[in-house]
Amino acid sequence: EAIDYENKAIDTATIMGDLQIMQMANQALSNVFDSTGNDKKAFAYYKNYITIRDSINNVDNSKKTVQAEMNYEFDKKHAIEQAEQEKKDEVARADSKRQKIAMFFVIFVAIAIGVIAVIILRSLRTTRKQKTLIERQKLIVEEQKQVVEEKNKIVEEQKKDIIDSINYAKRIQLALLKEEEHVSQHLPEHFILFKPKDIVSGDFYWSLEKDDYFYVAAYNFPPYYYNIQPFPAHSQSFY
């Protein structure tokens, strides 16, 4: 269905002369044939995609070049006119600026002196308060740090004890589930795959040969019955 839709898109785009749609449709068809293993068609449509893409890029580059030239000429003309006007305005602003600078300088110096004096006084008061607060917080942090370190030591010890217990349980489980004890000489060639998710498994298997019967117990059997029938002690047949 995807191939049909993309071919229709290519036909429509060809009539409309829409290169963007043709590019996307050819790329989509290349991906579809690549995913289905048809490398020849995938490569052919990919070549079409590259060709259309390059064509679009060439058109865009030409448009950008023309636009850039037009912008350059316009900016050049505008810059000349603006420079002439700014030159005239600069002469008028220079006289006014000199008068304002002198007045602003006097006002600024007076305000700056007052602000600096206020800041210095407030800074001294704030510094004293902050120093006292920092010293108190430092003592609290040191106490909390000691508590955390002690708790971390306890947690690490508990973690080590738990892991040691799990590893010990694993050794016990592997000792109980020796593979050679569960392999029958009367079955076809087979093996046992036992891969616990974690260190020790919560499930286990069991088997026994007795009175011409072979009993197998394992967790999570499929939900249907196996037809188990007796077999001679030295027979190779088993159902």
Side-chain angles (χ1 to χ4, degrees):
E1 291 179 355
I3 293 172
D4 292 338
Y5 283 125
E6 296 301 337
N7 283 326
K8 291 179 181 178
I10 290 176
D11 294 338
T12 303
T14 302
I15 296 173
M16 297 172 59
D18 193 328
L19 295 178
Q20 293 286 349
I21 295 178
M22 293 175 65
Q23 177 189 6
M24 291 187 292
N26 277 277
Q27 184 182 21
L29 284 171
S30 176
N31 293 334
V32 170
F33 284 115
D34 179 64
S35 63
T36 57
N38 194 333
D39 297 336
K40 185 176 181 180
K41 288 190 176 181
F43 180 71
Y45 280 105
Y46 185 77
K47 287 176 61 180
N48 292 342
Y49 158 74
I50 295 298
T51 301
I52 297 172
R53 185 195 65 183
D54 293 342
S55 177
I56 293 174
N57 291 336
N58 291 335
V59 172
D60 292 339
N61 291 335
S62 298
K63 291 181 179 178
K64 290 179 181 178
T65 302
V66 174
Q67 185 66 34
E69 292 177 355
M70 294 175 65
N71 291 339
Y72 172 76
E73 293 297 332
F74 176 79
D75 293 340
K76 181 179 178 181
K77 182 178 179 181
H78 179 71
I80 293 173
E81 294 175 354
Q82 186 175 8
E84 293 177 353
Q85 183 63 36
E86 287 179 354
K87 186 176 180 180
K88 295 177 181 179
D89 296 338
E90 187 67 24
V91 174
R93 288 195 300 265
D95 296 336
S96 177
K97 187 176 181 181
R98 282 192 290 270
Q99 296 175 0
K100 290 181 180 180
I101 288 175
M103 182 181 63
F104 287 151
F105 180 76
V106 174
I107 296 173
F108 174 76
V109 170
I111 294 174
I113 293 173
V115 170
I116 291 172
V118 173
I119 291 174
I120 291 174
L121 293 175
R122 295 184 62 181
S123 177
L124 291 174
R125 294 177 183 177
T126 304
T127 301
R128 294 192 189 100
K129 293 180 181 179
Q130 289 179 344
K131 183 178 180 181
T132 303
L133 180 61
I134 290 172
E135 291 177 352
R136 293 177 181 176
Q137 291 178 343
K138 185 177 180 180
L139 293 175
I140 295 173
V141 170
E142 289 295 333
E143 294 176 355
Q144 292 177 345
K145 182 179 178 181
Q146 293 178 358
V147 173
V148 171
E149 289 177 351
E150 292 176 358
K151 290 183 178 180
N152 286 337
K153 290 180 180 179
I154 295 173
V155 170
E156 290 295 330
E157 292 176 357
Q158 292 176 345
K159 180 180 178 181
K160 184 177 181 300
D161 291 340
I162 292 172
I163 293 176
D164 290 342
S165 299
I166 293 174
N167 287 327
Y168 183 70
K170 176 184 177 182
R171 291 196 295 270
I172 295 174
Q173 187 178 63
L174 293 177
L176 293 174
L177 300 179
K178 291 182 179 179
E179 181 174 336
E180 61 269 12
E181 295 179 358
H182 301 275
V183 177
S184 173
Q185 297 179 356
H186 307 295
L187 294 177
E189 184 178 356
H190 61 285
F191 64 92
I192 295 174
L193 177 63
F194 181 66
K195 298 179 67 176
K197 179 182 177 182
D198 298 309
I199 298 176
V200 65
S201 174
D203 308 320
F204 61 91
Y205 54 87
W206 172 88
S207 66
L208 175 67
E209 291 186 28
K210 185 177 180 182
D211 299 333
D212 294 337
Y213 283 88
F214 185 69
Y215 301 91
V216 177
Y219 177 75
N220 198 18
F221 263 55
Y224 53 81
Y225 293 99
Y226 288 97
N227 181 18
I228 307 298
Q229 297 182 5
F231 60 92
H234 300 288
S235 173
Q236 293 293 333
S237 61
F238 174 70
Y239 297 88

